[in-house]
Amino acid sequence: MEQHVKILGALHIVFGTLGLLLALGILVLFGGIAGLINAFDYSGDAHISAPILGGIGAIIFVVLLVLSLPGLIAGIGLLQFRPWARILTIVISVLDLIHVPFGTALGIYGLWVLLSQGSERLFRRS
């Protein structure tokens, strides 16, 4: 069961990192579009639309950051067999069930691994 916990931790780190990279990509994309609008302002409306686009990009960035960081933190904690990481990952796994198809698979696998008696002993031991 120890190997399954390590695999689950690595998967959460990978998905968390992908979420962070997506957040940064969205921020750069919206910032770039806002910059282009400012650079090629022929109608004079860039002072209205550029900050709106930048704000939308920032909001999406913050939402993705808030959704990705707990998985990344939980994955690191799972690799170190921290008891708090087990509880956090169970909560994240339940929330992952609604993210079809990859989140659902990760959520089911996470619940199977972390709710088994073998993994409970692993986290109690450390």
Side-chain angles (χ1 to χ4, degrees):
M1 198 49 74
E2 182 176 343
Q3 191 67 27
H4 287 291
V5 172
K6 288 182 181 180
I7 290 170
L8 184 63
L11 286 173
H12 275 285
I13 290 172
V14 167
F15 279 109
T17 304
L18 287 175
L20 291 178
L21 289 176
L22 179 65
L24 286 173
I26 293 289
L27 188 65
V28 168
L29 176 70
F30 276 84
I33 292 172
L36 286 174
I37 287 174
N38 272 334
F40 298 109
D41 181 27
Y42 299 118
S43 64
D45 292 333
H47 67 281
I48 296 171
S49 60
I52 291 173
L53 278 173
I56 290 171
I59 289 170
I60 294 172
F61 171 76
V62 169
V63 167
L64 287 173
L65 189 72
V66 166
L67 293 175
S68 299
L69 272 179
L72 186 64
I73 293 168
I76 293 169
L78 282 178
L79 291 178
Q80 299 172 355
F81 297 100
R82 305 282 185 198
W84 57 264
R86 179 177 176 263
I87 296 167
L88 177 62
T89 309
I90 290 171
V91 172
I92 291 171
S93 294
V94 169
L95 295 175
D96 278 343
L97 292 174
I98 62 172
H99 298 217
V100 177
F102 299 113
T104 303
L106 182 63
I108 291 171
Y109 181 62
L111 290 174
W112 175 75
V113 168
L114 296 174
L115 293 177
S116 68
Q117 292 177 0
S119 69
E120 186 178 341
R121 279 184 251 130
L122 270 174
F123 287 95
R124 197 177 315 138
R125 164 183 75 156
S126 55

